[in-house]
Amino acid sequence: MGNKQTIFTDEQLDAYQVSLFSFPRLHGRYHELAPHLVPMDYTNEPDCKVPLALIVNMPELKENPFRNRIVESFSEDGMGNLSFNEFVDMFSVLSEMAPRELKAIYAFKIYDFNVDNYLCKEDLEKTLNKLTKEELTPEEVELVCEKTIEESDLDGDHKLSFADFENMISRAPDFLSTFHIRI
Amino acid sequence: MPRKSDAAKMEEVGIEIDGDLSESDDGGTQRRANRRQAGGRGGVKGRGRGKKPASDDDDEDDEEEDEAPRGRRGANRKKPAKKRGGNDDEDESEDEPPKKKRGGAANKKRGGKAQDSDEEDSDVGKGKKGKKGGGKKGKKEEEEETKGKKGNGKGKGKDKGKDKDDDKDKKKKKKKGDSSSDSNSNSSEEEESMSEGEMARLMEEVEEKKKLIANIRNKPWRMQRRLKLLKEAQEFVDKFEGALGKGKGRKWYAYKVMMTKKWIKFQRDFENFRTACIPWERKIKEVESHFGSSVASYFIFLRWMYGMNLVLFGFTFGLVVIPEVLMGLPYGSIPRKTVPRAEQDTAQDYSVLMDFNGYCKYSVLFYGYYNDQRTVGVLKFRLPLSYLMVGIGTFGYSLMLVIRTMAKNADVGGGDGEDSDFTFAWKMFTSWDYLIGNAETADNKYASITTSFKESIVDEQENQKDENIHLRRFLRVLANFLITCSLGGSGYLIYFVVKRSQEFATRDDLSWYEKNEMEIVMSLLGLVCPPLFETIAELEDYHPRIALKWQLGRIFALFLGNLYTFLFALFDEVNTKLEEEQSIKNASIWAMKEYYANYSRLMNDSEATPPPMDPADVIRGPCWETAVGIEFVKLTVSDIQVSYLTILIGDFARAVIVRFLNYCWCWDLEAGFPSYGEFDISGNVLGLVFNQGMIWMGAFYAPGLVGINVLRLLSSMYYQCWAVMATNVPHERVFKASKSNNFYMGLLLLVLFLSLLPVVYTIMTLPPSFDCGPFSGKDKMFDIIMETIDLDLPAFMGTLFSYAANPGLIIPAVLLMVLAIYYLNSVSEAYQNSNMELKKKMKMARDEEKNRRNNADTTNQVMKDLEDLLPNRSLIPPAPPEPEKPPEQEPKPKPTKTKPGTAGKGVNLQKDVALASSNPNARGPVSRPPGPRGPGPGPGAGPGRGRGRGPPPR
């Protein structure tokens, strides 16, 4: 793993431990992604970012249809370049210890493809096509998106705001069990 | 200090956005909270009140009064206050403390407790928190109130922070700087003064900080900010904890977190283990993901069947076969356990064995092998009694199990309600399992998601379908008529053929066709009718799920004919055997006497006891029970062969041909004519059901049959799973099978009842063979029970039974049962009704909620229309300006979501149209105006006038 050589101050480690839901081996993994970019010594918090293309190829994310969106929603610049902190943050939110609301927020961000803070039809179509590998006919996609909006749209604006989304997701039985990644 | 200021700077740069988010809603909620608190709590502690508002840096209105209190607070906090600089979230979390402070120092303990509960919240009670989050806007105020007293303010603060940051990203970006500078300057001034009360407050703040540390992971902040805040909080705690004499907690907390993690992991593992314990769960899931729940329902049914047969197998082998083998007489000791001399030459031939003759016939597999000794072995095991009990118990257990499963399924069906409010939304957002990291699993998951979407789409389309109802009805009646005709026709054909075969039975000069006429006709019917029914069912155009039920019912009716012929032939055979037996019995006894007479004559010694006759030489009766058993076993085995060969040829060979000949064929085989086979759900289910009927009927005469069946089901599971995955394609319209496959169970119950009849009939009426089986020598099989009662139970039990069998007792009991059934039936109906009622209510409540949130546009509109329809309105001359307003009123509610101008209009028009269609009368006054009016004065004049007019309709 190489994480033995990873250097953190105790203080830093402590801080990460407390502020994250999971912090095992994360730096090792981060370093593996781009050995030439990421230094092992992290005591003075060097400023480095790993590009999206590398992160998306992690085995944990590789098969996920939303991998690009996940990484993008956690990156500060929206382009998918993750600093170590953001990287760690991502796996913390996706760990199974994170509470439902926290997950809901990020799930909303992930499904919000065009980053307008609403899940509009366009977003839903993209989500659906990613989920089904575009095996549904356009009419079916249309129907499903219509129904989805109809079901959860409470304020009648034909798109889902976060309030709608949270209301819906808070009742979903398997949201917590499916929206997490073990690392 | 320099470090801290650095930090502050960084935060200002990097975290501004986040800060804003939380701030923005803070603004909303806290402002309200402020007011209330200022009013309600002011009396408790002036300072506390002041401090609370301090949090609202963003709140312009309160800014001035905040200033002073902030200073105080800053004094307490010293450095942290400074750090707070550009960072408002901290405010949000740290602002809460003062609120709590109001409660006084005594609350510290509670604070600690609250912290614990908070942690639990985050770890376990997520649901609770979710709820809190959901209702927060409204609830917040209340919570704030309690917060003052309770220590768990932090949790709520968190909620608040989490609430909505996403929604309101880019608002309010300034305002941070000033607040920070305020606090900085003020803090330095009052840094020195530290009174008793302040000590208490300090402790509270330490608690707060600790809580922040504990909960920092739950906040949707960027990592960097989190680290920063954490550092501050820790430093603060470190600094003051010593002073206040409180040091532990962290370790305990870490330990607790670790334990929670371990516990969760254990639960997960246990869950996995439990899932792994369910046999074939993964196989079935895989099939389900590709072929839909309808095909999977067959496999689940098969698995259930396997479970039941395993229990039956356990009973039969444990209580009948094993005792006979271990404790009964060995093979060859008595005639019924010996192959007759005439058959001994061929008894081991393969062909004979395959017909279950020879050694097979005289083995534990069949009824005839069992001895009629009352007890066997040292344990005095009453084998004949046990045999009868197991035979009856098989039925009893199956009946109970089927009914229980049906009841449970019905329960499930009513309980979880497949039609959830969020079918599609949940599928869309929660169906992907983020844990999947394996390409193959991912492919399966894609398939299963697609399939489940398709299932729901089919359901939805079915709901939306409304065409010519009369045509549809006519077609359905027609289809049913056609199918009834063909069923009646085939029924008559079967009857006719059976008649003819009885006729043929008396003749010898039969051609091959005449000999096998019945079988040929039966299999032709089985071959032709199902596809015919399916074709006719196209006319009906039912939802595939309902269509499957109809199809099952119809084919079931057809197969009943099959069963009928089989039983008919069997009873014929039994009757002839019974007649034959009578003569053989006499011959056998006579032969025995002859043997003894010969022996004494040869020995010239009438006194000597002759050695027993060689068992192979004794003349035997036909033993109809064994014959029946063999018949059933043969049938079962041939059924297995046929169904396996069908799969091999019909599916596998076809798939191979289609797949590989496609390279060199003149048309597209895969898409065109032969294509790949679909999994025939109805055929397979019925095959399974009727096979089980055979087992039930045959098990009494051939205890080994259950074992054969268990093997069959086991192999069938693997074989069919493989076949369906390898050679079949999913149905064109994948449909969702109802979770409770109660229809299959219903069929099974019917078959169970049908197979119960002949067996009970034979047990109760036919005399058992005189020289084979556990009941030989008795008049009736159930005499064994009488015998046991008489001999082994105390005398009063016998009288008790005789009373119980009295018709005077039985008839009232039956009546009572009928009444009970009636009562329970009506009760369940009532429950069903109330269930429906509740469902309706729930739906209404939901719609209402939607409407309310919907800015009440629609309802307003309706009210307005109603108003416009009032007679006086249309009569009064100055009315004209009135109707013009409604459309303009629209933009007023809109601004909440969209820009007042354009979008509002679009919606407006739409709504009007919708209303117009539903209520043609309203058309004139309401829907006209928007056209010309909209573009002109819309946004400007609209709101003003609209407001004036808005309230009345409510």
Side-chain angles (χ1 to χ4, degrees):
Chain A
M1 284 300 292
N3 59 338
K4 265 179 200 138
Q5 300 100 331
T6 316
I7 302 170
F8 282 97
T9 60
D10 283 351
E11 209 176 315
Q12 277 174 318
L13 274 181
D14 224 27
Y16 279 120
Q17 291 284 10
V18 170
S19 51
L20 293 169
F21 286 102
S22 63
F23 187 67
R25 309 187 304 275
L26 272 181
H27 189 264
R29 299 298 306 274
Y30 189 64
H31 177 82
E32 266 174 26
L33 290 175
H36 54 288
L37 286 179
V38 183
M40 288 313 276
D41 183 354
Y42 225 76
T43 41
N44 41 12
E45 312 198 1
D47 180 33
C48 60
K49 296 203 165 203
V50 174
L52 174 124
L54 292 176
I55 295 169
V56 152
N57 273 327
M58 292 177 69
E60 283 83 2
L61 292 176
K62 212 171 63 208
E63 297 299 336
N64 197 313
F66 305 111
R67 52 187 177 272
N68 287 2
R69 278 303 306 157
I70 295 175
V71 177
E72 278 164 25
S73 355
F74 281 94
S75 77
E76 210 169 317
D77 56 6
M79 301 298 293
N81 302 318
L82 292 191
S83 70
F84 176 61
N85 280 339
E86 288 158 349
F87 179 79
V88 165
D89 200 19
M90 175 164 85
F91 283 105
S92 168
V93 169
L94 289 172
S95 83
E96 53 187 348
M97 304 281 285
R100 186 184 279 262
E101 303 105 85
L102 190 60
K103 282 173 181 268
I105 288 167
Y106 282 100
F108 185 79
K109 276 183 148 187
I110 287 169
Y111 295 124
D112 182 14
F113 281 80
N114 52 11
V115 206
D116 60 352
N117 274 327
Y118 283 103
L119 299 182
C120 47
K121 208 161 183 180
E122 194 189 327
D123 295 326
L124 295 183
E125 274 167 18
K126 278 188 188 159
T127 310
L128 188 59
N129 281 333
K130 283 197 183 284
L131 271 180
T132 58
K133 287 202 166 167
E134 317 202 0
E135 292 217 347
L136 298 180
T137 63
E139 295 85 50
E140 287 171 331
V141 171
E142 176 80 5
L143 179 83
V144 171
C145 293
E146 285 279 319
K147 286 300 294 178
T148 308
I149 290 178
E150 188 189 318
E151 281 166 2
S152 9
D153 182 23
L154 289 173
D155 47 16
D157 54 1
H158 295 285
K159 48 189 180 179
L160 306 185
S161 67
F162 179 67
D164 299 333
F165 183 77
E166 204 197 14
N167 175 46
M168 180 269 296
I169 215 85
S170 65
R171 298 182 206 179
D174 12 315
F175 174 61
L176 278 181
S177 59
T178 55
F179 194 74
H180 76 94
I181 293 178
R182 278 181 218 143
I183 189 168
Chain B
M1 285 304 267
R3 181 142 60 91
K4 255 157 248 153
S5 59
D6 272 351
K9 221 180 292 164
M10 268 183 70
E11 258 165 88
E12 260 163 23
V13 178
I15 305 182
E16 224 157 19
I17 297 170
D18 274 352
D20 294 336
L21 323 177
S22 39
E23 183 187 353
S24 59
D25 47 273
D26 262 8
T29 52
Q30 292 197 342
R31 207 171 302 161
R32 262 181 286 146
N34 270 350
R35 301 241 163 82
R36 220 195 53 283
Q37 270 162 354
R41 284 228 205 91
V44 184
K45 222 179 222 180
R47 195 186 288 145
R49 194 220 315 179
K51 207 145 286 157
K52 166 67 208 156
S55 58
D56 312 322
D57 324 28
D58 51 332
D59 196 343
E60 294 95 328
D61 308 30
D62 298 350
E63 199 71 311
E64 305 90 345
E65 11 167 327
D66 291 355
E67 217 103 312
R70 179 182 301 286
R72 283 274 188 80
R73 190 188 186 191
N76 300 336
R77 285 217 225 136
K78 291 177 191 161
K79 282 171 212 161
K82 215 168 282 165
K83 251 177 280 155
R84 235 164 121 234
N87 176 356
D88 282 22
D89 321 281
E90 195 186 353
D91 271 2
E92 158 205 333
S93 46
E94 282 172 10
D95 291 341
E96 244 78 72
K99 267 180 263 156
K100 204 176 53 179
K101 221 169 293 164
R102 243 161 275 130
N107 288 342
K108 215 180 306 157
K109 260 170 283 150
R110 264 203 262 167
K113 226 184 292 160
Q115 180 183 348
D116 287 358
S117 68
D118 268 5
E119 290 158 26
E120 271 159 29
D121 258 3
S122 58
D123 294 336
V124 185
K126 277 155 201 156
K128 211 204 297 175
K129 207 170 276 173
K131 244 179 279 159
K132 239 189 270 167
K136 61 235 149 188
K137 282 285 165 195
K139 251 193 255 170
K140 191 106 306 164
E141 300 202 353
E142 287 174 24
E143 283 175 0
E144 221 103 334
E145 229 157 12
T146 50
K147 208 183 297 170
K149 283 157 243 153
K150 281 196 213 147
N152 63 353
K154 186 56 52 73
K156 265 127 220 176
K158 184 199 335 163
D159 276 357
K160 205 188 296 168
K162 235 165 281 156
D163 274 355
K164 296 256 155 106
D165 0 20
D166 284 354
D167 292 1
K168 324 182 174 175
D169 252 1
K170 330 284 183 204
K171 285 189 270 168
K172 303 190 183 177
K173 231 178 202 175
K174 357 95 202 210
K175 261 177 280 161
K176 249 181 282 167
D178 39 347
S179 69
S180 65
S181 61
D182 290 344
S183 55
N184 278 353
S185 55
N186 288 339
S187 66
S188 56
E189 283 170 27
E190 300 191 43
E191 207 158 283
E192 266 73 76
S193 62
M194 209 192 190
S195 66
E196 272 292 302
E198 275 170 346
M199 270 292 269
R201 228 165 44 222
L202 198 57
M203 285 163 81
E204 297 263 342
E205 264 181 53
V206 169
E207 284 302 323
E208 289 298 329
K209 290 284 187 192
K210 278 195 193 163
K211 224 171 292 162
L212 174 69
I213 293 170
N215 286 319
I216 197 150
R217 310 187 292 180
N218 290 353
K219 321 232 168 192
W221 301 333
R222 296 228 177 270
M223 197 58 218
Q224 224 162 347
R225 196 165 124 222
R226 256 192 240 173
L227 288 177
K228 187 73 49 188
L229 282 175
L230 181 71
K231 205 189 276 174
E232 288 166 9
Q234 273 177 344
E235 271 168 22
F236 183 84
V237 171
D238 287 346
K239 173 150 189 181
F240 290 102
E241 222 169 34
L244 298 171
K246 296 195 62 188
K248 48 181 178 136
R250 282 277 299 285
K251 256 185 200 160
W252 167 239
Y253 173 68
Y255 173 74
K256 241 174 82 162
V257 166
M258 199 188 68
M259 287 316 283
T260 325
K261 272 186 185 164
K262 285 242 165 82
W263 172 240
I264 287 178
K265 186 170 181 320
F266 170 76
Q267 276 179 321
R268 193 172 65 215
D269 288 347
F270 185 70
E271 199 57 36
N272 285 347
F273 173 74
R274 259 187 19 173
T275 319
C277 282
I278 303 175
W280 305 306
E281 185 68 10
R282 276 193 50 213
K283 258 185 190 317
I284 292 176
K285 278 274 174 292
E286 200 182 336
V287 169
E288 183 170 4
S289 64
H290 284 95
F291 292 86
S293 48
S294 49
V295 175
S297 75
Y298 164 73
F299 285 99
I300 291 170
F301 186 54
L302 180 61
R303 183 175 63 187
W304 182 88
M305 210 75 122
Y306 178 73
M308 186 182 72
N309 276 286
L310 216 52
V311 175
L312 295 185
F313 175 76
F315 275 137
T316 315
F317 270 67
L319 294 177
V320 174
V321 177
I322 305 282
E324 176 67 35
V325 170
L326 291 184
M327 301 188 283
L329 295 169
Y331 172 82
S333 54
I334 49 172
R336 69 187 68 178
K337 296 191 180 188
T338 318
V339 180
R341 200 169 297 284
E343 295 174 25
Q344 265 173 4
D345 298 338
T346 58
Q348 266 181 342
D349 288 6
Y350 178 74
S351 61
V352 173
L353 285 180
M354 279 326 277
D355 272 348
F356 295 96
N357 274 320
Y359 282 111
C360 269
K361 188 175 175 185
Y362 301 96
S363 70
V364 279
L365 287 184
F366 295 107
Y367 172 93
Y369 182 81
Y370 294 84
N371 199 359
D372 61 346
Q373 273 177 298
R374 259 197 83 228
T375 60
V376 294
V378 285
L379 293 175
K380 302 243 179 272
F381 186 77
R382 291 184 182 80
L383 192 68
L385 182 67
S386 155
Y387 195 101
L388 187 70
M389 286 312 195
V390 166
I392 294 171
T394 299
F395 284 106
Y397 174 77
S398 313
L399 209 56
M400 207 183 67
L401 193 68
V402 171
I403 288 176
R404 246 182 57 126
T405 312
M406 283 180 83
K408 207 159 67 182
N409 281 348
D411 197 33
V412 168
D416 71 354
E418 285 162 9
D419 43 1
S420 142
D421 291 337
F422 298 112
T423 332
F424 284 100
W426 284 351
K427 278 212 173 86
M428 179 98 81
F429 296 120
T430 67
S431 57
W432 183 262
D433 191 342
Y434 281 62
L435 275 176
I436 291 173
N438 170 335
E440 202 177 324
T441 325
D443 278 345
N444 275 348
K445 193 70 187 171
Y446 283 124
S448 98
I449 290 175
T450 311
T451 314
S452 81
F453 266 119
K454 279 191 178 153
E455 287 176 355
S456 297
I457 289 170
V458 166
D459 280 0
E460 191 55 35
Q461 281 169 343
E462 214 60 33
N463 284 345
Q464 288 176 350
K465 192 166 64 181
D466 53 346
E467 318 133 59
N468 190 342
I469 186 85
H470 295 294
L471 177 66
R472 179 89 25 247
R473 269 188 201 148
F474 169 73
L475 283 179
R476 281 181 188 175
V477 170
L478 181 70
N480 272 314
F481 175 73
L482 286 178
I483 285 175
T484 317
C485 281
S486 54
L487 270 181
S490 44
Y492 178 73
L493 190 63
I494 291 171
Y495 173 76
F496 179 74
V497 171
V498 170
K499 265 264 152 79
R500 244 164 79 100
S501 75
Q502 280 177 317
E503 211 173 284
F504 288 147
T506 56
R507 282 167 34 192
D508 288 334
D509 52 336
L510 291 177
S511 66
W512 178 85
Y513 169 76
E514 280 170 332
K515 257 186 214 157
N516 296 297
E517 187 184 52
M518 205 162 81
E519 282 78 12
I520 292 172
V521 167
M522 294 306 302
S523 35
L524 270 183
L525 279 180
L527 213 64
V528 171
C529 277
L532 181 70
F533 291 167
E534 208 158 333
T535 319
I536 295 176
E538 301 265 296
L539 284 180
E540 299 178 308
D541 197 19
Y542 277 123
H543 183 288
R545 184 166 50 229
I546 301 167
L548 174 68
K549 284 188 181 175
W550 279 97
Q551 176 77 356
L552 276 173
R554 285 161 185 164
I555 302 178
F556 184 83
L558 182 73
F559 277 15
L560 278 185
N562 223 329
L563 199 67
Y564 154 80
T565 51
F566 178 72
L567 285 183
F568 208 90
L570 212 57
F571 269 99
D572 260 2
E573 196 184 326
V574 167
N575 282 331
T576 49
K577 287 244 159 99
L578 276 176
E579 281 165 26
E580 195 184 333
E581 190 184 70
Q582 207 49 46
S583 52
I584 289 181
K585 193 175 174 183
N586 295 337
S588 173
I589 293 168
W590 186 79
M592 189 68 79
K593 277 194 179 135
E594 189 111 310
Y595 169 74
Y596 287 135
N598 280 346
Y599 182 82
S600 41
R601 189 166 56 83
L602 284 177
M603 289 296 156
N604 277 332
D605 178 10
S606 54
E607 299 306 308
T609 10
M613 201 170 161
D614 184 342
D617 293 330
V618 175
I619 298 178
R620 320 264 179 95
C623 196
W624 60 269
E625 292 96 336
T626 297
V628 170
I630 288 176
E631 211 51 43
F632 277 110
V633 172
K634 265 195 209 160
L635 200 73
T636 307
V637 169
S638 76
D639 187 38
I640 297 172
Q641 287 165 346
V642 167
S643 59
Y644 282 17
L645 279 180
T646 315
I647 291 174
L648 206 60
I649 295 169
D651 285 329
F652 183 66
R654 174 173 164 186
V656 167
I657 289 171
V658 168
R659 179 84 178 75
F660 291 103
L661 273 185
N662 203 27
Y663 295 123
C664 50
W665 203 257
C666 32
W667 70 81
D668 187 0
L669 286 173
E670 286 185 345
F673 162 57
S675 154
Y676 296 108
E678 285 183 355
F679 185 77
D680 178 16
I681 305 172
S682 55
N684 276 297
V685 166
L686 283 178
L688 204 55
V689 166
F690 276 92
N691 170 61
Q692 191 59 40
M694 294 295 159
I695 304 305
W696 275 322
M697 278 193 275
F700 188 73
Y701 303 110
L705 189 56
V706 191
I708 294 175
N709 193 40
V710 166
L711 287 182
R712 180 233 167 110
L713 293 177
L714 189 67
S715 59
S716 172
M717 192 75 191
Y718 288 103
Y719 184 54
Q720 286 197 298
C721 267
W722 164 78
V724 79
M725 291 301 289
T727 66
N728 285 354
V729 289
H731 291 250
E732 210 170 311
R733 297 178 80 194
V734 189
F735 61 93
K736 192 187 315 175
S738 50
K739 253 195 204 118
S740 52
N741 36 14
N742 255 0
F743 194 75
Y744 302 164
M745 289 290 167
L747 292 181
L748 194 65
L749 189 65
L750 198 57
V751 164
L752 175 58
F753 184 70
L754 288 179
S755 52
L756 181 67
L757 286 181
V759 175
V760 169
Y761 171 76
T762 51
I763 290 179
M764 297 309 275
T765 57
L766 294 186
S769 304
F770 75 98
D771 64 344
C772 70
F775 310 113
S776 53
K778 307 263 184 320
D779 276 348
K780 297 277 184 295
M781 290 180 188
F782 67 86
D783 282 349
I784 196 82
I785 296 178
M786 301 300 159
E787 191 189 280
T788 310
I789 290 174
D790 288 343
L791 295 182
D792 295 333
L793 293 181
F796 77 93
M797 291 294 277
T799 45
L800 217 64
F801 274 111
S802 67
Y803 286 138
N806 190 342
L809 213 62
I810 287 177
I811 290 174
V814 169
L815 270 181
L816 195 70
M817 273 192 226
V818 169
L819 285 181
I821 289 172
Y822 175 73
Y823 171 74
L824 290 178
N825 200 26
S826 45
V827 165
S828 83
E829 239 165 59
Y831 278 140
Q832 226 162 18
N833 277 342
S834 67
N835 207 350
M836 296 295 287
E837 210 54 35
L838 284 177
K839 261 188 194 157
K840 235 186 261 170
K841 265 185 198 159
M842 267 168 68
K843 192 159 165 33
M844 265 165 66
R846 195 177 134 72
D847 287 351
E848 209 167 275
E849 188 192 9
K850 247 188 187 177
N851 271 341
R852 204 168 342 110
R853 294 228 201 170
N854 218 349
N855 275 340
D857 273 358
T858 34
T859 40
N860 265 357
Q861 198 69 43
V862 173
M863 293 302 285
K864 252 173 276 149
D865 291 342
L866 285 177
E867 235 167 80
D868 288 337
L869 286 177
L870 289 177
N872 60 347
R873 171 76 39 103
S874 50
L875 287 179
I876 295 168
E882 294 289 312
E884 291 169 10
K885 279 174 209 156
E888 288 159 12
Q889 191 220 356
E890 291 309 311
K892 182 198 67 180
K894 280 287 122 77
T896 50
K897 315 170 263 198
T898 57
K899 278 161 255 151
T902 52
K905 221 168 289 157
V907 178
N908 181 7
L909 279 173
Q910 200 183 341
K911 290 229 160 87
D912 282 344
V913 170
L915 273 163
S917 61
S918 69
N919 185 359
N921 295 343
R923 202 184 182 107
V926 183
S927 66
R928 288 285 160 210
R933 272 270 150 192
R945 276 207 266 171
R947 191 155 300 176
R949 218 183 155 305
R954 287 175 198 248

